[in-house]
Amino acid sequence: MKLLILTQKIDVNDDLLGFFHAWAAEFAKHCAKLTIIALGAGEYDLPENVNVLSLGKESIKNRQSAIGNRQFIKRIKYLIRFYRYIIVERKNYDAVLVHMNAEYIILGGLIWRLLSKKIGLWYVHKRVDWKLRLAAKLADVIFTASPGSFRLASNKLKIIGHGIDLSKFNFAPGIKSGNDFKIIYVGRISAIKNQRLFIEAADILINQKGIKNVRFDLVGEAVYQEDAAYKEALVQKIAKDRLQDQIKFIGSVPHKDIAAIYQAADLSVNLCPTGGMDKAALESMAAGLPVIVLNKTFAFLGDICENSILEEASAAELADKIFVLMNLTPPERTALGRRLKDKVFNDYDLVKLINKIIDGLSR
């Protein structure tokens, strides 16, 4: 197969999108030729059969920095490059896979249909807008991770799980430093990620229950302007609750280094609402790290550990479940970690996922 992939960014050092570098490398194993058009590109190391083409937006995180005419001109330049690439490279691909950004299908769908290119869309998010509705009509096949991560009815839909690079997340229980019980939350600082609930649970455990040997680390950074305002409100709450010594903002960590963050922690918390499957929760499981989630898409966790999934967005419930998992014995913790990793291996392995996508695009 000769495949064209359109994605947001190719950069092994990116904290949010660095995971796609491993996806690209795995796709390359199945393709005679792999062409990637990315909105921006940074550092990458991919096989010789991969050609990366950037639309020119190398700093994805600064997407709100340009305004007015300057922003308009940049968008026109991206658009010109986009059409030039998909036309000039047309003999180098037989099928197209659009990763998350439905607007690429709106822009290129009719051209790809005229060129008889099969069009696939990977989409994992609860949001449904007109762009997604139109892209779904133009696509030949749609891939998603779970029933709740694509919320349009379509006979084109294939629910195929997610893709975690298991070679990166080694099962290593017991690799910890210090005497404090370390709880991490990995993800962009944003209201939708609900880090405030994380801080409220910390307040209950530390200030109300008197538990002092615990540390809460927020791993990630604010990306948008509204995220920055949300982070500032969190900082103020931490100060008001006198939790500066127990709660730390670690900042962004390149995805290639994130496995060490999981392996140095005792518990991972993810408070995204029900919808798309957040990779951070699956990566925690892949590292054998006990996890607590709010997202009901992870309902299967209830069969592995009843304290791994919240009934509602309640700080009191979160604090209670953290307390239970803090008090697991080392053998209990190791056994739980093994069950979590096995679940990811069986259902969310990157190698298996890419095989399913290639199969879906080949039919």
Side-chain angles (χ1 to χ4, degrees):
M1 171 182 282
K2 293 186 292 183
L3 179 63
L4 169 65
I5 294 179
L6 293 104
T7 190
Q8 197 170 11
K9 192 173 187 181
I10 290 289
D11 185 356
V12 71
N13 293 313
D14 194 89
D15 58 325
L16 300 177
L17 302 169
F19 75 91
F20 200 79
H21 188 277
W23 284 44
E26 190 61 34
F27 270 116
K29 297 176 183 178
H30 300 269
C31 298
K33 178 72 175 178
L34 175 61
T35 304
I36 300 174
I37 298 176
L39 185 58
E43 181 182 345
Y44 56 87
D45 182 15
L46 295 168
E48 293 182 357
N49 63 329
V50 181
N51 183 25
V52 176
L53 302 170
S54 173
L55 296 181
K57 194 169 186 177
E58 312 308 342
S59 182
I60 297 295
K61 291 182 182 178
N62 292 329
R63 63 189 77 187
Q64 289 187 333
S65 61
I67 58 175
N69 292 334
R70 182 181 173 192
Q71 180 75 346
F72 176 76
I73 293 170
K74 283 189 173 184
R75 289 182 180 276
I76 293 298
K77 288 181 178 179
Y78 301 154
L79 199 60
I80 291 170
R81 290 189 187 113
F82 169 79
Y83 283 115
R84 184 171 75 242
Y85 289 156
I86 67 172
I87 293 171
V88 171
E89 296 290 329
R90 64 189 182 278
K91 294 183 179 180
N92 290 324
Y93 61 93
D94 308 309
V96 179
L97 177 68
V98 172
H99 177 255
M100 291 301 294
N101 295 98
E103 52 264 39
Y104 286 133
I105 296 183
I106 297 172
L107 294 171
L110 293 179
I111 293 174
W112 291 326
R113 284 192 173 276
L114 288 172
L115 294 173
S116 299
K117 310 295 186 182
K118 188 162 186 177
I119 305 169
L121 171 65
W122 167 269
Y123 192 85
V124 180
H125 203 282
K126 69 174 185 174
R127 183 180 64 248
V128 175
D129 57 17
W130 70 268
K131 292 184 288 186
L132 182 63
R133 294 180 189 277
L134 182 53
K137 293 182 182 299
L138 291 169
D140 295 300
V141 59
I142 302 166
F143 305 101
T144 195
S146 66
S149 59
F150 188 86
R151 298 189 174 189
L152 288 176
S154 176
N155 57 10
K156 303 174 183 179
L157 186 63
K158 295 183 181 294
I159 300 171
I160 59 172
H162 220 312
I164 304 300
D165 183 3
L166 294 179
S167 66
K168 179 176 181 178
F169 297 97
N170 296 319
F171 181 61
I175 300 180
K176 318 296 176 191
S177 61
N179 297 319
D180 288 342
F181 188 91
K182 184 189 291 186
I183 305 167
I184 59 172
Y185 190 139
V186 177
R188 173 169 63 95
I189 305 298
S190 172
I192 197 171
K193 302 288 188 179
N194 212 355
Q195 283 97 347
R196 183 180 179 88
L197 188 66
F198 186 66
I199 294 168
E200 290 171 350
D203 179 42
I204 292 172
L205 289 166
I206 296 168
N207 291 329
Q208 297 181 31
K209 294 184 179 293
I211 299 171
K212 301 302 181 184
N213 63 327
V214 61
R215 173 179 166 183
F216 294 76
D217 285 355
L218 290 155
V219 183
E221 195 49 86
V223 175
Y224 302 101
Q225 291 177 2
E226 59 266 31
D227 295 341
Y230 180 73
K231 179 180 178 180
E232 180 57 32
L234 296 181
V235 170
Q236 292 177 10
K237 177 170 177 54
I238 291 169
K240 179 182 176 182
D241 294 340
R242 301 185 303 279
L243 295 170
Q244 299 97 320
D245 292 337
Q246 287 87 12
I247 302 178
K248 301 296 182 184
F249 287 92
I250 304 302
S252 61
V253 174
H255 191 265
K256 63 184 177 65
D257 300 325
I258 200 66
I261 298 293
Y262 293 122
Q263 291 175 347
D266 297 290
L267 176 65
S268 176
V269 172
N270 186 283
L271 301 172
C272 292
T274 298
M277 302 191 82
D278 197 301
K279 292 184 300 300
L282 292 171
E283 289 172 350
S284 299
M285 295 167 59
L289 182 63
V291 62
I292 299 174
V293 301
L294 175 61
N295 187 346
K296 297 300 188 294
T297 303
F298 288 89
F300 62 81
L301 280 174
D303 297 328
I304 299 174
C305 175
E306 63 181 3
N307 288 296
S308 283
I309 187 160
L310 297 171
E311 293 294 327
E312 57 187 16
S314 163
E317 183 188 2
L318 176 57
D320 287 343
K321 291 186 182 300
I322 289 174
F323 185 76
V324 171
L325 294 176
M326 283 181 67
N327 286 284
L328 293 177
T329 65
E332 289 172 335
R333 180 177 304 281
T334 299
L336 174 57
R338 177 60 65 187
R339 292 197 299 272
L340 293 170
K341 185 171 182 67
D342 287 347
K343 178 65 177 178
V344 177
F345 176 81
N346 292 329
D347 296 341
Y348 304 105
D349 177 20
L350 176 61
V351 174
K352 296 175 183 176
L353 178 85
I354 301 305
N355 278 319
K356 292 174 184 176
I357 294 175
I358 293 292
D359 182 65
L361 290 172
S362 300
R363 292 181 182 275

